[in-house]
Amino acid sequence: QQSGRRYNLFLKRRLRIDKRYQSKDSIFFRDGVRRIDFVLSYVDDLNKEWEKKLERRKEFESNLQKAGLELETEDKKESEDGKIYFVKIHAPWEVLITYAEVLNIKVPIKENDIPSMVENPLDCMLTPFRLPDKVMHPDPDYFTAPFSKEKQELYLINDESTFFSPSMRNRIVNYILTRCPYGTEEGKKKFGIKRLLNNGTYSAAYPLHDCQYWKKASDPNCDNERYTLYMEWARFLRFYKEQPLDLIRKYYGEKIGIYFAWLGFYTEMLFLAAVVGVICFLYGLFTMDENMSSKEICDPAIGGEIIMCPLCDRECEYWRLNTTCESSEYSHLFDNVATLFFAIFMGIWVTLSLEFWKRRQARLKYEWDLVDFEEEQQQLQLRPEYEAKCTQKKKNPVTQEMEPYLPLTSQAVRFCISGTTVLFWVSLIIASMIAVIVYRLAVYAAFASLMENTQTLQPISGLLTPQLATSVTASCLNFVIIMILNFIYERIAIWITDMEIPRTHMEYENRLTMKMFLFQFVNYYSSCFYVAFFKGKFVGYPGAYTYMFNRWRNEECDPAGCLIELTTQLTIVMAGKQIWGNIQEAIVPWICNWWGRRKARNNPENLYSRWEQDHDLQTFGALGLFYEYLEMVIQFGFITLFVASFPLAPLLALMNNILEIRVDSWKLTTQYRRPVAAKAHSIGVWQEILNGMAILSVVTNAFIVAFTSDMIPRLVYYYAYSENEDSPMSGYINNSLSVFQISDFPDRNKPKMNPEDFVICRYRDYRYPPDHEKKYLHTMQFWHILAAKLAFIIIMEHVVFIVKFFVAWMIPDVPADVKAKIKREKYLTQKILHEYELEKLKERLCQGDKRATEKEFIATEGKMELSRAM
């Protein structure tokens, strides 16, 4: 008995050694030859639907094999947890060439002979920022043509196993998986891996990464592109290096490649805006001591003698203007002449950014063989969900085939429900903003009373005014509400869009994009719009204040202006969103992966298979890029719509984007399964949204400079009302404050205490004094300033729009050299194809093929001559 136990122990050890010797960290079948192009996983759970799922899997896998795919199953005993089956899929050459023709995939026919661009003499200065040429250009540049099975000898096929890149292979396999049937249920034909994932038949479907990200694979046949991407791109220490866009495109596909190309380009353009913004900020910093307004406010003989009217009813006391000395000095950092220049500059910068991006996009379309790419090939195919839910059919006028369709009445009902839901949520945002405004009004009196009556707060009372304390706490509260509403609405928007049953993938993405953008636009920007355009504009005057809901008195701007409060609001919301976004993007998936792999970390590497390693990673869903674009477009709004109030916004955005590129690349390379490669020749509907925001930004910045900053009142005083030629701005503060007689206070507004027996108090407005016949009515100066503000808005908008449209007209969307290359490639491709056809025709004539007539030969030669002439 004891010898039997020893023998069993020996067998177990022997098996373990053999198992370790055969490393599973491979991307090939057990034969080491056939590449794994896709992996399906499932758990064999014995519940009520077990038999039904088993039948679906058998039917589905049988149909995959009928389609030409080769399968290899790993038993659950071989998996790390002993529960998961893995089905490995390989697409043989015959399948690849069949579907390459269906998908119109372009492949090499001749090496590119067009000379590269002339070297820039300044390139030597950019050497520290460059990556090795092998990383930047992993493949030679070729002329390409759509693949055709009948013309295989035309293409540069050196090795059938490597002719199609892994991203092309997984795209082809995914195309088959999404259309493969698995049986008939309830009288309907069922098909597609998406449905099988939704109903739990399979737990996951994904292509494999080619190796571990932190070290190269031991297999010499592995390209190790994931390792290269991690070492050269995904590490933060490489933040100053250019991005290997060709390698990104080769590994992840054009859709992800175009996103990183846009993000990198946008970040480069932000550098110029950040530099100009810092210069404008430094101008405000260096001219703080020369600012006459803050000098007068801080002067004990001027600001110290001006008694201001109470900030709230009954509880608040009279206060001296010089208590706001520090806040008035700091407001000059952002409210100065440079603000006007920066607002105009940013209007032009936005146009330059969008126009230069069009040129960059056109170059990428040529380099990535997307010139003739039709979005319809991929995006306009019917969604499986649409086909499943639409039971009625009608004839397609183009294909003359019966297709499912959604009746008009059903569409109308669904759109009504969708529109009502969106309207309800937008109303909820506005209601939450009103709640924050009510909070502002309710605590404003409390802060004012607290800061005036609490001795411990006296040292900071100059810096932390009641207005600023209210603004900071309200901004933080608003940010929390924004995040909560955003979290809930994301799920609501997806549910609404699913309910509408969009016909195609493009329709689905566009509808979801518009819903999410509309919601987030209102959610993130409503509070900034309130501070910029409503706060302090409808206050009334002492004795006749305006009230919200006839209860809360509308809040006033700081004597130094509302711009500093808009800056505070913008900084808190923008910085808070960026910090929270990076935590969500980087830390959350890392924690999830760490928790999921905690058991497998102790296993030997050669037992922890490549498909299991990838299975334990997070899924980069179909909407993964959607959220990335949305995040950046919202940021784009912050740095364009309200940039006149905060010149440092582009610098914050630049610092965030340098981190964002590396965080996105790190999580995609290390924390997520490899996404299925997809084609895209542009950033899609986001381009139109950016154009719309660029136009709106000119209007918002013109209104901010005119109505939120003190720029126009100062200029009107400087040129029309100043009486001191030596110091034109002296006396401005006294001029901008009106006089109110305290005895005119009604009981509702009158303070409980007036220990110093003040007779008059001052308030921010342009109204006649109490002894004037037009008592407390607006003065002529008020109307002059209003006219100047409106004139400024009209002039600034027209000037910036004229420059914008002139710049857009001057800069062609497609660079001249790219146009020439496209024409040259088309010509050479046609020439090669025609010569090939002619050679084939000659062969047929020599072999005595009766179908190859002399007329056909002449026609082919004529087509070649015509091609040369063109």
Side-chain angles (χ1 to χ4, degrees):
Q1 194 175 359
Q2 192 173 2
S3 61
R5 282 179 184 174
R6 285 178 181 174
Y7 181 71
N8 287 335
L9 186 64
F10 168 78
L11 279 178
K12 282 182 181 178
R13 284 178 180 171
R14 180 65 184 268
L15 284 168
R16 194 179 300 164
I17 292 165
D18 288 345
K19 200 171 182 182
R20 286 182 184 180
Y21 182 76
Q22 286 185 318
S23 175
K24 284 181 160 188
D25 189 28
S26 169
I27 54 169
F28 295 94
F29 275 21
R30 294 190 193 101
D31 58 16
V33 177
R34 291 174 293 171
R35 187 186 186 96
I36 302 170
D37 296 313
F38 228 88
V39 174
L40 307 178
S41 68
Y42 62 91
V43 178
D44 204 3
D45 49 348
L46 299 172
N47 56 20
K48 292 179 181 179
E49 294 193 348
W50 175 73
E51 290 185 5
K52 190 183 285 186
K53 288 179 181 178
L54 183 63
E55 286 175 19
R56 287 176 190 154
R57 280 195 292 268
K58 280 184 179 178
E59 183 72 19
F60 186 68
E61 290 170 19
S62 171
N63 288 332
L64 288 178
Q65 288 174 322
K66 286 175 185 175
L69 297 177
E70 296 174 2
L71 311 182
E72 186 176 85
T73 303
E74 290 283 334
D75 193 82
K76 66 180 180 181
K77 294 174 185 175
E78 297 291 319
S79 67
E80 184 269 325
D81 62 0
K83 296 178 182 177
I84 304 172
Y85 290 87
F86 291 94
V87 180
K88 298 175 286 184
I89 302 174
H90 169 76
W93 175 253
E94 294 73 20
V95 172
L96 292 173
I97 60 176
T98 301
Y99 285 94
E101 189 170 7
V102 171
L103 293 172
N104 208 32
I105 290 175
K106 288 188 173 183
V107 293
I109 56 171
K110 183 177 185 281
E111 197 154 339
N112 194 336
D113 62 353
I114 300 174
S116 57
M117 293 174 66
V118 179
E119 285 192 13
N120 189 337
L122 298 176
D123 272 357
C124 58
M125 296 173 63
L126 301 174
T127 304
F129 306 102
R130 302 288 189 202
L131 287 171
D133 194 60
K134 191 177 180 181
V135 176
M136 287 301 296
H137 307 290
D139 292 324
D141 193 13
Y142 294 105
F143 290 132
T144 59
F147 188 83
S148 173
K149 286 173 71 175
E150 296 175 357
K151 303 172 184 175
Q152 287 187 49
E153 53 270 37
L154 180 65
Y155 309 112
L156 301 178
I157 305 173
N158 299 320
D159 184 354
E160 289 183 355
S161 63
T162 58
F163 180 68
F164 293 104
S165 68
S167 61
M168 286 180 184
R169 296 175 72 102
N170 73 53
R171 186 173 156 228
I172 288 169
V173 174
N174 184 65
Y175 181 86
I176 298 169
L177 289 173
T178 53
R179 283 155 184 80
C180 183
Y182 61 84
T184 305
E185 294 177 10
E186 299 173 3
K188 296 179 187 175
K189 191 177 181 182
K190 301 287 183 178
F191 59 90
I193 187 64
K194 284 185 182 178
R195 232 173 261 156
L196 291 171
L197 290 170
N198 290 337
N199 60 32
T201 304
Y202 289 100
S203 58
Y206 52 94
L208 289 180
H209 283 294
D210 62 357
C211 66
Q212 292 170 329
Y213 67 85
W214 65 87
K215 68 172 186 177
K216 292 184 177 180
S218 55
D219 192 332
N221 296 320
C222 182
D223 295 328
N224 296 300
E225 288 172 350
R226 185 190 189 193
Y227 170 78
T228 306
L229 284 169
Y230 174 71
M231 296 302 292
E232 302 290 349
W233 177 52
R235 294 189 300 160
F236 183 72
L237 293 177
R238 312 293 280 177
F239 73 91
Y240 61 95
K241 294 283 189 180
E242 62 185 334
Q243 296 188 86
L245 293 176
D246 287 348
L247 185 58
I248 297 168
R249 172 243 180 171
K250 183 185 176 187
Y251 193 75
Y252 290 115
E254 287 80 2
K255 194 169 186 178
I256 288 175
I258 207 91
Y259 163 73
F260 280 104
W262 174 76
L263 181 57
F265 175 83
Y266 168 48
T267 305
E268 288 169 16
M269 291 300 293
L270 274 175
F271 181 77
L272 175 62
V275 168
V276 177
V278 169
I279 292 170
C280 292
F281 175 77
L282 292 175
Y283 170 82
L285 184 65
F286 292 138
T287 57
M288 273 177 70
D289 296 335
E290 300 169 17
N291 181 26
M292 185 56 70
S293 299
S294 58
K295 275 185 180 179
E296 290 188 346
I297 291 173
C298 297
D299 190 345
I302 302 174
E305 296 299 320
I306 295 176
I307 307 302
M308 300 296 291
C309 294
L311 298 170
C312 62
D313 295 337
R314 302 291 292 162
E315 299 297 329
C316 295
E317 298 179 357
Y318 301 98
W319 54 285
R320 297 182 186 275
L321 182 61
N322 65 348
T323 57
T324 62
C325 175
E326 284 87 350
S327 65
S328 68
E329 287 178 337
Y330 288 125
S331 70
H332 178 72
L333 289 172
F334 308 106
D335 194 357
N336 54 62
V337 179
T339 301
L340 173 60
F341 164 76
F342 193 59
I344 294 170
F345 166 80
M346 286 302 290
I348 297 166
W349 173 87
V350 169
T351 305
L352 287 171
S353 298
L354 295 176
E355 291 303 315
F356 283 134
W357 166 246
K358 287 178 187 174
R359 291 169 64 84
R360 180 81 178 98
Q361 194 169 253
R363 194 176 294 279
L364 285 174
K365 280 172 73 173
Y366 166 72
E367 291 173 357
W368 291 357
D369 296 321
L370 299 169
V371 174
D372 298 321
F373 170 68
E374 293 294 333
E375 205 86 33
E376 291 81 4
Q377 293 172 6
Q378 189 171 351
Q379 296 285 2
L380 296 186
Q381 293 159 352
L382 294 180
R383 293 172 65 236
E385 295 84 352
Y386 181 84
E387 294 179 284
K389 292 178 182 178
C390 299
T391 53
Q392 299 186 37
K393 294 195 175 186
K394 67 176 182 180
K395 187 179 284 187
N396 186 314
V398 178
T399 61
Q400 293 296 306
E401 292 179 0
M402 297 300 287
E403 282 187 356
Y405 85 103
L406 197 63
L408 193 61
T409 52
S410 179
Q411 284 185 44
V413 170
R414 291 171 188 276
F415 276 122
C416 285
I417 296 170
S418 171
T420 307
T421 310
V422 171
L423 196 62
F424 168 77
W425 277 90
V426 170
S427 304
L428 193 63
I429 297 170
I430 296 168
S432 69
M433 189 192 72
I434 292 170
V436 173
I437 294 169
V438 169
Y439 164 83
R440 282 172 173 271
L441 303 179
V443 302
Y444 182 74
F447 275 124
S449 178
L450 183 69
M451 290 181 179
E452 285 176 4
N453 301 323
T454 307
Q455 292 298 320
T456 54
L457 295 176
Q458 288 301 318
I460 60 164
S461 61
L463 180 63
L464 191 66
T465 61
Q467 290 95 331
L468 189 59
T470 306
S471 183
V472 169
T473 55
S475 298
C476 293
L477 177 64
N478 187 60
F479 175 71
V480 172
I481 292 171
I482 284 172
M483 290 293 109
I484 293 169
L485 288 175
N486 198 38
F487 176 79
I488 299 169
Y489 183 77
E490 277 183 13
R491 285 139 186 84
I492 298 291
I494 293 170
W495 174 76
I496 295 168
T497 311
D498 287 340
M499 185 200 64
E500 289 176 6
I501 318 179
R503 187 169 182 271
T504 64
H505 293 286
M506 181 180 280
E507 272 184 37
Y508 184 89
E509 282 192 16
N510 289 351
R511 288 185 193 180
L512 183 62
T513 299
M514 294 314 296
K515 287 184 187 71
M516 285 297 293
F517 177 72
L518 174 65
F519 177 84
Q520 296 220 359
F521 184 91
V522 179
N523 199 15
Y524 281 109
Y525 303 143
S526 57
S527 57
C528 293
F529 272 101
Y530 164 72
V531 175
F533 305 123
F534 296 99
K535 185 182 176 183
K537 307 296 185 293
F538 310 101
V539 177
Y541 63 93
Y545 288 117
T546 52
Y547 290 82
M548 178 178 277
F549 306 128
N550 203 32
R551 181 176 177 183
W552 291 286
R553 183 173 129 187
N554 285 356
E555 57 183 331
E556 302 174 37
C557 285
D558 194 277
C562 259
L563 202 69
I564 189 71
E565 293 184 46
L566 178 58
T567 304
T568 305
Q569 178 77 23
L570 188 67
T571 307
I572 289 173
V573 176
M574 181 180 174
K577 182 187 182 304
Q578 292 180 348
I579 292 166
W580 177 251
N582 285 321
I583 289 171
Q584 237 180 346
E585 288 183 24
I587 297 175
V588 172
W590 180 82
I591 290 171
C592 292
N593 287 336
W594 175 84
W595 183 256
R597 291 185 304 205
R598 67 193 186 283
K599 292 179 182 176
R601 283 176 304 179
N602 298 321
N603 285 356
E605 181 186 298
N606 55 359
L607 295 184
Y608 191 34
S609 62
R610 160 77 14 234
W611 44 91
E612 285 181 279
Q613 291 173 40
D614 284 11
H615 181 269
D616 289 341
L617 297 176
Q618 298 297 298
T619 305
F620 191 78
L623 297 175
L625 277 186
F626 168 81
Y627 291 116
E628 301 297 341
Y629 275 118
L630 185 62
E631 180 187 0
M632 287 295 104
V633 168
I634 293 297
Q635 184 206 82
F636 183 83
F638 279 123
I639 67 159
T640 53
L641 296 176
F642 307 103
V643 77
S645 69
F646 190 35
L648 293 180
L651 179 63
L652 280 182
L654 175 65
M655 290 162 60
N656 175 77
N657 286 11
I658 290 171
L659 180 64
E660 180 77 23
I661 290 173
R662 303 304 156 181
V663 167
D664 285 352
S665 57
W666 173 80
K667 71 179 185 184
L668 203 61
T669 309
T670 67
Q671 303 301 307
Y672 283 92
R673 294 173 189 160
R674 186 174 183 170
V676 177
K679 277 187 173 287
H681 68 277
S682 68
I683 61 174
V685 73
W686 299 108
Q687 182 83 39
E688 301 306 316
I689 290 173
L690 293 173
N691 288 333
M693 292 180 80
I695 293 169
L696 180 61
S697 68
V698 177
V699 180
T700 55
N701 283 306
F703 272 85
I704 287 170
V705 173
F707 285 98
T708 311
S709 80
D710 258 6
M711 179 78 60
I712 305 301
R714 284 178 194 156
L715 291 174
V716 170
Y717 178 80
Y718 183 91
Y719 288 107
Y721 291 90
S722 177
E723 297 174 355
N724 189 335
E725 292 183 3
D726 297 329
S727 180
M729 286 307 294
S730 62
Y732 168 72
I733 290 297
N734 188 56
N735 175 265
S736 66
L737 298 173
S738 298
V739 178
F740 182 76
Q741 193 165 333
I742 290 172
S743 59
D744 292 338
F745 264 128
D747 291 338
R748 179 180 183 177
N749 307 131
K750 196 170 185 177
K752 290 179 180 178
M753 298 174 66
N754 184 7
E756 298 185 47
D757 295 325
F758 296 123
V759 178
I760 61 167
C761 64
R762 309 293 293 273
Y763 60 99
R764 187 181 171 81
D765 208 342
Y766 294 91
R767 292 179 184 271
Y768 287 109
D771 56 355
H772 197 277
E773 59 181 7
K774 296 182 179 179
K775 180 179 178 179
Y776 302 141
L777 294 177
H778 283 123
T779 63
M780 190 54 67
Q781 187 175 352
F782 171 84
W783 300 110
H784 287 166
I785 290 170
L786 182 61
K789 286 178 176 180
L790 296 175
F792 169 81
I793 289 169
I794 293 168
I795 292 167
M796 180 180 165
E797 283 182 2
H798 280 70
V799 168
V800 175
F801 277 133
I802 288 168
V803 172
K804 276 170 67 72
F805 291 126
F806 178 73
V807 167
W809 174 74
M810 283 284 291
I811 301 173
D813 291 350
V814 183
D817 65 309
V818 172
K819 281 183 181 177
K821 286 178 178 178
I822 291 170
K823 289 178 181 176
R824 168 76 176 157
E825 181 164 345
K826 281 186 176 178
Y827 162 72
L828 288 174
T829 305
Q830 284 180 347
K831 183 182 174 185
I832 291 166
L833 289 171
H834 293 161
E835 285 175 352
Y836 172 80
E837 288 174 9
L838 194 62
E839 286 297 319
K840 283 289 179 185
L841 202 56
K842 283 179 180 176
E843 286 179 16
R844 285 165 62 192
L845 283 169
C846 293
Q847 291 169 4
D849 189 345
K850 295 178 181 179
R851 292 175 294 175
T853 63
E854 191 177 348
K855 286 183 179 179
E856 189 180 352
F857 182 75
I858 294 167
T860 306
E861 278 198 318
K863 189 164 71 170
M864 283 182 64
E865 291 298 324
L866 185 62
S867 175
R868 290 193 190 100
M870 291 295 285

